[in-house]
Amino acid sequence: MTGKKKKDMNHMGYVFVAPFLIVFLIFSAYPVIRTLYLSFTQYKGYGAPTFIGFDNYKRVVTDPIFWTALGNTAKIWGINIVLQLGLAFLLTIVFSDIKYKMRGLSVYRALFYLPNLIAATSVAFLFKVLLDWQFGSLNQILIKAGIIKSGINWLGQPGTAQLVVAVIGAWMWFGNSFIMLMAGVQGISRDYFEAAAIDGAGRWRTFGSIIIPLLKPILLYVAITSLIGGLQLFDIPFLITDGAGAPSNALNTVVLYLYNSAFKYNNVGYAGAIAYLLFFIIGIVSAIEYKVMYGKKED
Amino acid sequence: MTRNIKKTVLHAALILLSMLCLFPFLMMIINATRTGNEIMTGFTLIPGDAVADNWETVSGYFNLFRGLGNSLLVAVTSTALTAYFSALAAYGLAVYKFKGKNIIFTGIIIFMMIPTQLGLLGFYDLVNALGLVDSYIPLIIPAIASPATIFFLRQFLKATLSPALLEAARIDGAGEFYIFHRIVLPIMSPGIATMSIGAFIGSWNNYLLPMVLLTTPSKFTLPVMVASMNASQDIVSNQGAIYLAVAISVIPILIAFAFLSRYIIGGITAGGVKE
Amino acid sequence: MKMKKIMSMALAGIMVLSMVGCGNKAESATDSAAADSNSGKLVIWTLSEDLENFAKHYMETNKDVQIETVIIPPADYTTKLSAALRGKAATPDIIVGEPQMLPDFEDAGYFENLSADPYNADEYSDKLVDYVWKAGQDAEGNVRAISYQATPGGIYYRRDLAQDVYGTDDPAVIGEKFKDYATIKQTAQEVRDKGYRIFSDTGSLRWFAITDPWVVDGKINISDEKKEYMDTAIDLYQNKLVAFAPEWSAAWFSSMAGPIPMNAEWQELDEVDANAEQTQVFAYALPSWGSLTIRDNAKDNAGNYGVCAGPTSYFGGGTFVGISAYSKNKAQAWDFVKYVTLTEETSKWWAETSKGDIVSMKSVLEEYKDKENEAYGNQKTYQFFYEEAQKIDYTTVTRYDDQLKVFYGAAIESVQKGEKTKEEAMKEFYDKAKSAYPELSE
């Protein structure tokens, strides 16, 4: 395989990657690197930044609000990911089972994806109305059904508020995860399934020993992107609490704190430090995820 | 027998789940027909009769069709760019071995992890320096560089593309771009379609960036228009109108979704290619 | 075999291209239209549609001037304005701010100095209510922004409920029931005994917490008065003396028109009697713009409200108008600002057009003094707000007030709900305050 022709072709890689790389360096890398510079300065968003070394970083690691926010984010993400991936997996199993031959995949797939089509602003607005303590439909239904005696203040208590945000996230994204997993399954040759069926492998064994290993690259993608998306949780808590992170700071996520620091309190340099600490944490967790799934480095 | 019962139960569960997903659309459409005061006092399934009034309110603020056109222009072009150039880069990263490849790939992963909200200030400075404020270019061109899409498509190729196929094509004398356009793109199309839907929706619903970058009202995209309405003091009486505007803004997405999801349903699999 | 596929892809491509083509055409058309009318054009960036109305009115008499008003949601306004003006953009000519936003905008140099030549705004200082004038000044006393409105606060109460509880609806008598925190607590109990709730939510109390400054010499100042505010809020909440309907919630809006459900948040309901499932809200504390909100949502209760003074004279919000330091059309912009804020006819016109917004022009307030307000039982509301506006002490106001009040409110809330002890909540309050404003100390 080390023929001359093949080697010649490899330089084509640069051509294929070039458009991406150029735009990426200008529009993505530059702003992010500028943020890195700002994280070492005291900068209010106007005037000139003053270089202050590691002060912002020293401050953020001892900032109790940062750690509370990180804890909140982790908690919400944890609940969210279990619900979201659990549901997506369940659906994948159901639809990839060649014995059931479930019909209507395309219809269901489209329906499950629907929540993802609505802008976060609308989703937040909708849930605020639905979960309203006095007038919300959910409480009205639960009371009528005799499940609860009086309305639950879903968004007013730390525990339920976090649960609500996690459920909203799962509701918005399970269809997306499902489509990803199904796209992967459809990429697997039917031969494997038929061979498994001939061998008499059960549903769960087929799933465990064929689908999961072959889906690994897609699974890794879903796991890492949902981790990144989850730890960067921002818009729903922002919109549902009018930017404040109430009740009792339970919905104050790291990126919400970052956003408020930068744009509300004008501590842009400090926000930069928060951004990079969060990035560092996401990096570590992603690396662990990668290791767990592959055991060793790929390629 | 039991299989049929099981299937029925499964379908029932799936239908229930579907209804949960459809509910907000129903709610949006019904509330679009009700007055603000009716909406404020809770939700019912019975439509109201205020569609015309709500439409009048919306029209009083904006030319909604103008917003639809603007959003469509931005979303369609940026989705097309994301789809094509991400596929290109993903292929480059998946099949060729060249110097710096691992650095680029690692860079992609790293940049996915940086919270984007803070890049905003730097991004604005850049756009301002380039003289591109109040233009669609900074909303469209950066779509070429979508690390998440490239990452996904690379993973997708790793799982579906057979190296033997490429070898065979090369032996037949096919050029690299010919291979990419005629052989690889079709194989990737389910993955591209999946990511395109996401890219289109992301662009369609994008609020913060157009909000900050666009300054002329006639250039506003739909979410910016809706948000301006939301900011109005008459929030209660506008509630129905806001729902109407949101409902209208979702329709093109539904159409685009129906259109694009066909490509996934086609289900071209790697298995088919290997035969 | 894949022909179908390729065909449909090509089709999609054509569609996309044609859409792009259409869009481009449409866009270039507006570009040239915008370029043609460049002369005498003003661009306003604002928070509400008020200025759009002013602009339309202005253009009626100044036909050669073209004004474009962009309304930006308050949550995004600062971000958008900072992004543009940090780049010294010439685009907005007229910019606005609410009082709490102004100090940052002033520090950043966004506002033109209106005390300087050729504006010399100071010669108009007698025309407006004093506190409004002061709010628009920067730390050096230079005028940076001016407001067409005054936003003094009051307490709006239901006259029928007042009759029921106290046998009178006289604003002077009811005002006495709100004269300090201790009296408010007592009033809350008396109102509760008749089955009503004094306020929709304890958030109503926050307006009064300005009798002494929140920050003194860089130190956060939690005075006895602020502690009393916290204790009162906790007391009212835990004794279920408020209706648990926060401002701007659906329940809050509908409480203005009639009874709302009174769902106790606690699960043990045995102690709550059956007719306590519904309640009515006795009073609302809001700045003058709130009188319009209540009027517009009162429905059957229209005319059934009165307004009286609270424990302190306060204000809240208000749109202050200034000129961007980077505007290229400052003379025209100043003419517009003068027209909006310093012209008597405009002020009168606005009072009429807005159907009751309280303007900042003293002569107009004076003129409307005896005007009776139907929505408030024919009370002379202009007179009331004029008097309140004159009593506002702007020296206790600091740039930190709004945000510290939010943090303090959050601390109160977590004690009310029993999630934190007072000490824990206060610690979090100081943490948040110092994180937002590293220059402050405990």
Side-chain angles (χ1 to χ4, degrees), chain A residues 9-10 14 35 100 108 117 125-126 186 217 221 228 299, chain B residues 6-7 24 97 99 112 118 151 155 176 201 205 239 269:
Chain A
M9 284 307 131
N10 276 332
Y14 294 112
T35 302
Y100 281 155
Y108 283 124
L117 300 181
F125 188 71
L126 221 62
Q186 286 180 330
Y221 174 81
I228 293 167
D299 281 316
Chain B
K6 269 191 192 166
K7 264 180 96 161
K97 291 196 170 66
K99 226 184 195 170
M112 279 166 64
L118 206 77
F151 184 68
Q155 301 298 97
E176 293 303 302
I201 292 156
N205 288 338
Q239 214 60 258
T269 60

PDB file of all heavy atoms in Angstrom, chain A residues 9-10 14 35 100 108 117 125-126 186 217 221 228 299, chain B residues 6-7 24 97 99 112 118 151 155 176 201 205 239 269:
ATOM      1  N   MET A   9      -1.219  11.189  -3.821  1.00  0.00           N
ATOM      2  CA  MET A   9      -2.570  11.621  -3.541  1.00  0.00           C
ATOM      3  C   MET A   9      -2.700  12.301  -2.180  1.00  0.00           C
ATOM      4  O   MET A   9      -3.550  13.147  -1.972  1.00  0.00           O
ATOM      5  CB  MET A   9      -3.522  10.417  -3.602  1.00  0.00           C
ATOM      6  CG  MET A   9      -3.814   9.988  -5.009  1.00  0.00           C
ATOM      7  SD  MET A   9      -4.384  11.375  -5.992  1.00  0.00           S
ATOM      8  CE  MET A   9      -3.369  11.257  -7.425  1.00  0.00           C
ATOM      9  N   ASN A  10      -1.835  11.894  -1.243  1.00  0.00           N
ATOM     10  CA  ASN A  10      -2.015  12.380   0.117  1.00  0.00           C
ATOM     11  C   ASN A  10      -1.915  13.886   0.263  1.00  0.00           C
ATOM     12  O   ASN A  10      -2.561  14.468   1.110  1.00  0.00           O
ATOM     13  CB  ASN A  10      -1.014  11.704   1.058  1.00  0.00           C
ATOM     14  CG  ASN A  10      -1.549  10.364   1.515  1.00  0.00           C
ATOM     15  OD1 ASN A  10      -2.765  10.196   1.575  1.00  0.00           O
ATOM     16  ND2 ASN A  10      -0.661   9.438   1.827  1.00  0.00           N
ATOM     17  N   TYR A  14      -4.502  18.580   1.805  1.00  0.00           N
ATOM     18  CA  TYR A  14      -4.420  20.023   2.072  1.00  0.00           C
ATOM     19  C   TYR A  14      -5.481  20.783   1.290  1.00  0.00           C
ATOM     20  O   TYR A  14      -6.120  21.700   1.788  1.00  0.00           O
ATOM     21  CB  TYR A  14      -3.027  20.549   1.706  1.00  0.00           C
ATOM     22  CG  TYR A  14      -1.931  20.008   2.576  1.00  0.00           C
ATOM     23  CD1 TYR A  14      -0.969  19.142   2.079  1.00  0.00           C
ATOM     24  CD2 TYR A  14      -1.870  20.384   3.927  1.00  0.00           C
ATOM     25  CE1 TYR A  14       0.029  18.644   2.886  1.00  0.00           C
ATOM     26  CE2 TYR A  14      -0.866  19.892   4.738  1.00  0.00           C
ATOM     27  CZ  TYR A  14       0.082  19.021   4.221  1.00  0.00           C
ATOM     28  OH  TYR A  14       1.068  18.541   5.009  1.00  0.00           O
ATOM     29  N   THR A  35      -9.841  36.225  23.180  1.00  0.00           N
ATOM     30  CA  THR A  35     -10.416  35.982  24.493  1.00  0.00           C
ATOM     31  C   THR A  35      -9.340  35.503  25.465  1.00  0.00           C
ATOM     32  O   THR A  35      -9.302  35.911  26.624  1.00  0.00           O
ATOM     33  CB  THR A  35     -11.524  34.924  24.395  1.00  0.00           C
ATOM     34  OG1 THR A  35     -12.498  35.367  23.482  1.00  0.00           O
ATOM     35  CG2 THR A  35     -12.162  34.691  25.756  1.00  0.00           C
ATOM     36  N   TYR A 100     -38.884  -7.293  14.627  1.00  0.00           N
ATOM     37  CA  TYR A 100     -40.099  -6.465  14.719  1.00  0.00           C
ATOM     38  C   TYR A 100     -40.426  -5.816  13.390  1.00  0.00           C
ATOM     39  O   TYR A 100     -41.568  -5.642  13.041  1.00  0.00           O
ATOM     40  CB  TYR A 100     -39.917  -5.354  15.761  1.00  0.00           C
ATOM     41  CG  TYR A 100     -40.100  -5.832  17.170  1.00  0.00           C
ATOM     42  CD1 TYR A 100     -39.504  -5.170  18.226  1.00  0.00           C
ATOM     43  CD2 TYR A 100     -40.907  -6.940  17.441  1.00  0.00           C
ATOM     44  CE1 TYR A 100     -39.672  -5.592  19.514  1.00  0.00           C
ATOM     45  CE2 TYR A 100     -41.074  -7.371  18.746  1.00  0.00           C
ATOM     46  CZ  TYR A 100     -40.453  -6.693  19.781  1.00  0.00           C
ATOM     47  OH  TYR A 100     -40.625  -7.110  21.058  1.00  0.00           O
ATOM     48  N   TYR A 108     -41.884   8.694  12.432  1.00  0.00           N
ATOM     49  CA  TYR A 108     -41.539   8.892  13.842  1.00  0.00           C
ATOM     50  C   TYR A 108     -40.284   9.741  13.976  1.00  0.00           C
ATOM     51  O   TYR A 108     -40.194  10.641  14.813  1.00  0.00           O
ATOM     52  CB  TYR A 108     -41.307   7.552  14.542  1.00  0.00           C
ATOM     53  CG  TYR A 108     -42.585   6.840  14.875  1.00  0.00           C
ATOM     54  CD1 TYR A 108     -42.827   5.548  14.428  1.00  0.00           C
ATOM     55  CD2 TYR A 108     -43.565   7.451  15.661  1.00  0.00           C
ATOM     56  CE1 TYR A 108     -43.999   4.886  14.728  1.00  0.00           C
ATOM     57  CE2 TYR A 108     -44.746   6.795  15.972  1.00  0.00           C
ATOM     58  CZ  TYR A 108     -44.955   5.505  15.500  1.00  0.00           C
ATOM     59  OH  TYR A 108     -46.112   4.875  15.805  1.00  0.00           O
ATOM     60  N   LEU A 117     -36.805  21.897  16.329  1.00  0.00           N
ATOM     61  CA  LEU A 117     -36.976  22.903  15.279  1.00  0.00           C
ATOM     62  C   LEU A 117     -37.295  24.276  15.851  1.00  0.00           C
ATOM     63  O   LEU A 117     -37.151  25.280  15.184  1.00  0.00           O
ATOM     64  CB  LEU A 117     -38.107  22.508  14.334  1.00  0.00           C
ATOM     65  CG  LEU A 117     -37.970  21.189  13.590  1.00  0.00           C
ATOM     66  CD1 LEU A 117     -39.169  20.979  12.685  1.00  0.00           C
ATOM     67  CD2 LEU A 117     -36.707  21.189  12.758  1.00  0.00           C
ATOM     68  N   PHE A 125     -40.308  30.205  26.451  1.00  0.00           N
ATOM     69  CA  PHE A 125     -41.570  30.919  26.611  1.00  0.00           C
ATOM     70  C   PHE A 125     -42.718  29.934  26.829  1.00  0.00           C
ATOM     71  O   PHE A 125     -43.524  30.069  27.755  1.00  0.00           O
ATOM     72  CB  PHE A 125     -41.779  31.741  25.341  1.00  0.00           C
ATOM     73  CG  PHE A 125     -42.926  32.684  25.398  1.00  0.00           C
ATOM     74  CD1 PHE A 125     -42.855  33.809  26.195  1.00  0.00           C
ATOM     75  CD2 PHE A 125     -44.073  32.446  24.659  1.00  0.00           C
ATOM     76  CE1 PHE A 125     -43.921  34.689  26.248  1.00  0.00           C
ATOM     77  CE2 PHE A 125     -45.126  33.327  24.707  1.00  0.00           C
ATOM     78  CZ  PHE A 125     -45.060  34.447  25.507  1.00  0.00           C
ATOM     79  N   LEU A 126     -42.725  28.902  25.998  1.00  0.00           N
ATOM     80  CA  LEU A 126     -43.756  27.871  26.055  1.00  0.00           C
ATOM     81  C   LEU A 126     -43.790  27.161  27.402  1.00  0.00           C
ATOM     82  O   LEU A 126     -44.841  27.009  28.019  1.00  0.00           O
ATOM     83  CB  LEU A 126     -43.411  26.851  24.977  1.00  0.00           C
ATOM     84  CG  LEU A 126     -44.502  26.275  24.139  1.00  0.00           C
ATOM     85  CD1 LEU A 126     -45.191  27.361  23.353  1.00  0.00           C
ATOM     86  CD2 LEU A 126     -43.883  25.288  23.159  1.00  0.00           C
ATOM     87  N   GLN A 186     -27.914   2.573   9.994  1.00  0.00           N
ATOM     88  CA  GLN A 186     -28.191   2.355   8.577  1.00  0.00           C
ATOM     89  C   GLN A 186     -26.906   2.198   7.775  1.00  0.00           C
ATOM     90  O   GLN A 186     -26.931   1.654   6.679  1.00  0.00           O
ATOM     91  CB  GLN A 186     -29.012   3.520   8.032  1.00  0.00           C
ATOM     92  CG  GLN A 186     -30.434   3.447   8.523  1.00  0.00           C
ATOM     93  CD  GLN A 186     -31.276   4.577   8.011  1.00  0.00           C
ATOM     94  OE1 GLN A 186     -30.777   5.661   7.768  1.00  0.00           O
ATOM     95  NE2 GLN A 186     -32.555   4.324   7.861  1.00  0.00           N
ATOM     96  N   PRO A 217     -17.798   5.096  16.523  1.00  0.00           N
ATOM     97  CA  PRO A 217     -17.436   6.471  16.122  1.00  0.00           C
ATOM     98  C   PRO A 217     -18.605   7.443  16.300  1.00  0.00           C
ATOM     99  O   PRO A 217     -18.428   8.552  16.793  1.00  0.00           O
ATOM    100  CB  PRO A 217     -17.077   6.317  14.638  1.00  0.00           C
ATOM    101  CG  PRO A 217     -16.748   4.896  14.448  1.00  0.00           C
ATOM    102  CD  PRO A 217     -17.593   4.143  15.429  1.00  0.00           C
ATOM    103  N   TYR A 221     -19.150  10.554  18.963  1.00  0.00           N
ATOM    104  CA  TYR A 221     -19.561  11.887  18.542  1.00  0.00           C
ATOM    105  C   TYR A 221     -20.737  12.381  19.380  1.00  0.00           C
ATOM    106  O   TYR A 221     -20.711  13.491  19.921  1.00  0.00           O
ATOM    107  CB  TYR A 221     -19.951  11.871  17.063  1.00  0.00           C
ATOM    108  CG  TYR A 221     -20.511  13.184  16.623  1.00  0.00           C
ATOM    109  CD1 TYR A 221     -19.663  14.237  16.307  1.00  0.00           C
ATOM    110  CD2 TYR A 221     -21.884  13.397  16.561  1.00  0.00           C
ATOM    111  CE1 TYR A 221     -20.164  15.458  15.931  1.00  0.00           C
ATOM    112  CE2 TYR A 221     -22.404  14.616  16.188  1.00  0.00           C
ATOM    113  CZ  TYR A 221     -21.544  15.646  15.872  1.00  0.00           C
ATOM    114  OH  TYR A 221     -22.048  16.849  15.515  1.00  0.00           O
ATOM    115  N   ILE A 228     -20.279  18.573  25.476  1.00  0.00           N
ATOM    116  CA  ILE A 228     -19.895  19.962  25.232  1.00  0.00           C
ATOM    117  C   ILE A 228     -21.117  20.864  25.290  1.00  0.00           C
ATOM    118  O   ILE A 228     -21.122  21.903  25.948  1.00  0.00           O
ATOM    119  CB  ILE A 228     -19.184  20.082  23.869  1.00  0.00           C
ATOM    120  CG1 ILE A 228     -17.836  19.354  23.943  1.00  0.00           C
ATOM    121  CG2 ILE A 228     -18.978  21.523  23.486  1.00  0.00           C
ATOM    122  CD1 ILE A 228     -17.195  19.122  22.604  1.00  0.00           C
ATOM    123  N   ASP A 299      -6.218   5.682  15.532  1.00  0.00           N
ATOM    124  CA  ASP A 299      -5.265   5.951  14.437  1.00  0.00           C
ATOM    125  C   ASP A 299      -3.851   5.588  14.790  1.00  0.00           C
ATOM    126  O   ASP A 299      -3.267   6.206  15.652  1.00  0.00           O
ATOM    127  CB  ASP A 299      -5.277   7.424  14.012  1.00  0.00           C
ATOM    128  CG  ASP A 299      -6.469   7.699  13.129  1.00  0.00           C
ATOM    129  OD1 ASP A 299      -6.708   6.857  12.254  1.00  0.00           O
ATOM    130  OD2 ASP A 299      -7.161   8.701  13.345  1.00  0.00           O
TER     131      ASP A 299
ATOM    132  N   LYS B   6     -46.918  -7.022  21.367  1.00  0.00           N
ATOM    133  CA  LYS B   6     -45.777  -6.188  21.735  1.00  0.00           C
ATOM    134  C   LYS B   6     -45.660  -5.006  20.786  1.00  0.00           C
ATOM    135  O   LYS B   6     -45.416  -3.871  21.177  1.00  0.00           O
ATOM    136  CB  LYS B   6     -44.489  -7.004  21.683  1.00  0.00           C
ATOM    137  CG  LYS B   6     -44.118  -7.663  23.000  1.00  0.00           C
ATOM    138  CD  LYS B   6     -42.702  -8.195  22.865  1.00  0.00           C
ATOM    139  CE  LYS B   6     -42.347  -9.121  24.012  1.00  0.00           C
ATOM    140  NZ  LYS B   6     -41.121  -9.873  23.689  1.00  0.00           N
ATOM    141  N   LYS B   7     -45.836  -5.293  19.505  1.00  0.00           N
ATOM    142  CA  LYS B   7     -45.717  -4.234  18.502  1.00  0.00           C
ATOM    143  C   LYS B   7     -46.774  -3.158  18.714  1.00  0.00           C
ATOM    144  O   LYS B   7     -46.499  -1.960  18.587  1.00  0.00           O
ATOM    145  CB  LYS B   7     -45.868  -4.830  17.090  1.00  0.00           C
ATOM    146  CG  LYS B   7     -44.541  -5.127  16.444  1.00  0.00           C
ATOM    147  CD  LYS B   7     -44.703  -5.710  15.076  1.00  0.00           C
ATOM    148  CE  LYS B   7     -44.591  -4.644  13.995  1.00  0.00           C
ATOM    149  NZ  LYS B   7     -44.304  -5.251  12.670  1.00  0.00           N
ATOM    150  N   PRO B  24     -46.272  21.434  21.417  1.00  0.00           N
ATOM    151  CA  PRO B  24     -45.965  22.869  21.341  1.00  0.00           C
ATOM    152  C   PRO B  24     -46.429  23.524  20.048  1.00  0.00           C
ATOM    153  O   PRO B  24     -46.814  24.686  20.059  1.00  0.00           O
ATOM    154  CB  PRO B  24     -44.445  22.929  21.465  1.00  0.00           C
ATOM    155  CG  PRO B  24     -43.977  21.555  21.304  1.00  0.00           C
ATOM    156  CD  PRO B  24     -45.070  20.652  21.672  1.00  0.00           C
ATOM    157  N   LYS B  97      -3.378  10.984   4.397  1.00  0.00           N
ATOM    158  CA  LYS B  97      -2.435  11.106   5.501  1.00  0.00           C
ATOM    159  C   LYS B  97      -1.477  12.223   5.137  1.00  0.00           C
ATOM    160  O   LYS B  97      -0.727  12.118   4.175  1.00  0.00           O
ATOM    161  CB  LYS B  97      -1.659   9.788   5.670  1.00  0.00           C
ATOM    162  CG  LYS B  97      -2.517   8.655   6.188  1.00  0.00           C
ATOM    163  CD  LYS B  97      -1.661   7.508   6.700  1.00  0.00           C
ATOM    164  CE  LYS B  97      -2.489   6.473   7.444  1.00  0.00           C
ATOM    165  NZ  LYS B  97      -3.446   5.776   6.564  1.00  0.00           N
ATOM    166  N   LYS B  99       0.880  15.781   6.664  1.00  0.00           N
ATOM    167  CA  LYS B  99       1.497  16.444   7.803  1.00  0.00           C
ATOM    168  C   LYS B  99       0.530  17.484   8.384  1.00  0.00           C
ATOM    169  O   LYS B  99      -0.096  18.239   7.630  1.00  0.00           O
ATOM    170  CB  LYS B  99       2.777  17.142   7.349  1.00  0.00           C
ATOM    171  CG  LYS B  99       3.945  16.887   8.277  1.00  0.00           C
ATOM    172  CD  LYS B  99       5.129  17.703   7.810  1.00  0.00           C
ATOM    173  CE  LYS B  99       6.411  17.238   8.461  1.00  0.00           C
ATOM    174  NZ  LYS B  99       7.569  17.866   7.836  1.00  0.00           N
ATOM    175  N   MET B 112     -14.256  22.979  19.529  1.00  0.00           N
ATOM    176  CA  MET B 112     -15.640  22.652  19.856  1.00  0.00           C
ATOM    177  C   MET B 112     -15.921  22.862  21.337  1.00  0.00           C
ATOM    178  O   MET B 112     -17.072  22.992  21.748  1.00  0.00           O
ATOM    179  CB  MET B 112     -15.926  21.190  19.504  1.00  0.00           C
ATOM    180  CG  MET B 112     -16.217  20.964  18.035  1.00  0.00           C
ATOM    181  SD  MET B 112     -16.149  19.203  17.635  1.00  0.00           S
ATOM    182  CE  MET B 112     -17.497  18.570  18.620  1.00  0.00           C
ATOM    183  N   LEU B 118     -18.309  33.886  24.483  1.00  0.00           N
ATOM    184  CA  LEU B 118     -17.309  34.910  24.751  1.00  0.00           C
ATOM    185  C   LEU B 118     -16.556  35.345  23.500  1.00  0.00           C
ATOM    186  O   LEU B 118     -15.983  36.408  23.466  1.00  0.00           O
ATOM    187  CB  LEU B 118     -16.323  34.452  25.818  1.00  0.00           C
ATOM    188  CG  LEU B 118     -15.759  35.678  26.519  1.00  0.00           C
ATOM    189  CD1 LEU B 118     -16.740  36.256  27.488  1.00  0.00           C
ATOM    190  CD2 LEU B 118     -14.446  35.389  27.154  1.00  0.00           C
ATOM    191  N   PHE B 151     -16.414  17.066  12.323  1.00  0.00           N
ATOM    192  CA  PHE B 151     -16.141  15.965  13.256  1.00  0.00           C
ATOM    193  C   PHE B 151     -17.139  14.837  13.026  1.00  0.00           C
ATOM    194  O   PHE B 151     -16.769  13.676  12.902  1.00  0.00           O
ATOM    195  CB  PHE B 151     -16.230  16.496  14.690  1.00  0.00           C
ATOM    196  CG  PHE B 151     -15.880  15.487  15.738  1.00  0.00           C
ATOM    197  CD1 PHE B 151     -14.588  15.022  15.863  1.00  0.00           C
ATOM    198  CD2 PHE B 151     -16.842  14.991  16.600  1.00  0.00           C
ATOM    199  CE1 PHE B 151     -14.255  14.097  16.825  1.00  0.00           C
ATOM    200  CE2 PHE B 151     -16.524  14.065  17.568  1.00  0.00           C
ATOM    201  CZ  PHE B 151     -15.231  13.614  17.681  1.00  0.00           C
ATOM    202  N   GLN B 155     -16.348  11.047  11.438  1.00  0.00           N
ATOM    203  CA  GLN B 155     -16.721   9.821  12.129  1.00  0.00           C
ATOM    204  C   GLN B 155     -17.610   8.964  11.229  1.00  0.00           C
ATOM    205  O   GLN B 155     -17.471   7.750  11.163  1.00  0.00           O
ATOM    206  CB  GLN B 155     -17.494  10.132  13.420  1.00  0.00           C
ATOM    207  CG  GLN B 155     -16.757  10.969  14.428  1.00  0.00           C
ATOM    208  CD  GLN B 155     -15.512  10.290  14.934  1.00  0.00           C
ATOM    209  OE1 GLN B 155     -14.412  10.559  14.450  1.00  0.00           O
ATOM    210  NE2 GLN B 155     -15.668   9.404  15.902  1.00  0.00           N
ATOM    211  N   GLU B 176      -9.176  12.772  -7.929  1.00  0.00           N
ATOM    212  CA  GLU B 176      -9.590  12.848  -6.524  1.00  0.00           C
ATOM    213  C   GLU B 176     -10.919  13.586  -6.358  1.00  0.00           C
ATOM    214  O   GLU B 176     -11.779  13.183  -5.598  1.00  0.00           O
ATOM    215  CB  GLU B 176      -8.499  13.537  -5.690  1.00  0.00           C
ATOM    216  CG  GLU B 176      -7.220  12.734  -5.584  1.00  0.00           C
ATOM    217  CD  GLU B 176      -7.421  11.354  -4.998  1.00  0.00           C
ATOM    218  OE1 GLU B 176      -7.917  11.268  -3.863  1.00  0.00           O
ATOM    219  OE2 GLU B 176      -7.103  10.351  -5.668  1.00  0.00           O
ATOM    220  N   ILE B 201     -31.470  24.754  10.867  1.00  0.00           N
ATOM    221  CA  ILE B 201     -32.258  25.197  12.022  1.00  0.00           C
ATOM    222  C   ILE B 201     -31.456  26.144  12.890  1.00  0.00           C
ATOM    223  O   ILE B 201     -31.954  27.166  13.358  1.00  0.00           O
ATOM    224  CB  ILE B 201     -32.733  23.980  12.823  1.00  0.00           C
ATOM    225  CG1 ILE B 201     -33.745  23.212  11.999  1.00  0.00           C
ATOM    226  CG2 ILE B 201     -33.353  24.395  14.150  1.00  0.00           C
ATOM    227  CD1 ILE B 201     -33.851  21.786  12.396  1.00  0.00           C
ATOM    228  N   ASN B 205     -32.799  29.829  13.532  1.00  0.00           N
ATOM    229  CA  ASN B 205     -33.162  30.272  14.872  1.00  0.00           C
ATOM    230  C   ASN B 205     -32.112  31.164  15.512  1.00  0.00           C
ATOM    231  O   ASN B 205     -32.306  31.645  16.622  1.00  0.00           O
ATOM    232  CB  ASN B 205     -33.406  29.061  15.788  1.00  0.00           C
ATOM    233  CG  ASN B 205     -34.694  28.353  15.447  1.00  0.00           C
ATOM    234  OD1 ASN B 205     -35.589  28.935  14.841  1.00  0.00           O
ATOM    235  ND2 ASN B 205     -34.800  27.096  15.840  1.00  0.00           N
ATOM    236  N   GLN B 239     -49.269  39.443  22.912  1.00  0.00           N
ATOM    237  CA  GLN B 239     -48.971  38.035  23.103  1.00  0.00           C
ATOM    238  C   GLN B 239     -49.451  37.167  21.939  1.00  0.00           C
ATOM    239  O   GLN B 239     -48.703  36.358  21.412  1.00  0.00           O
ATOM    240  CB  GLN B 239     -49.641  37.559  24.411  1.00  0.00           C
ATOM    241  CG  GLN B 239     -48.870  36.528  25.152  1.00  0.00           C
ATOM    242  CD  GLN B 239     -47.506  37.029  25.548  1.00  0.00           C
ATOM    243  OE1 GLN B 239     -46.529  36.690  24.906  1.00  0.00           O
ATOM    244  NE2 GLN B 239     -47.408  37.836  26.593  1.00  0.00           N
ATOM    245  N   THR B 269     -26.696   2.974   2.147  1.00  0.00           N
ATOM    246  CA  THR B 269     -25.793   2.478   3.179  1.00  0.00           C
ATOM    247  C   THR B 269     -24.475   2.035   2.572  1.00  0.00           C
ATOM    248  O   THR B 269     -24.374   1.764   1.378  1.00  0.00           O
ATOM    249  CB  THR B 269     -26.424   1.274   3.909  1.00  0.00           C
ATOM    250  OG1 THR B 269     -26.647   0.268   2.935  1.00  0.00           O
ATOM    251  CG2 THR B 269     -27.730   1.661   4.561  1.00  0.00           C
TER     252      THR B 269
END
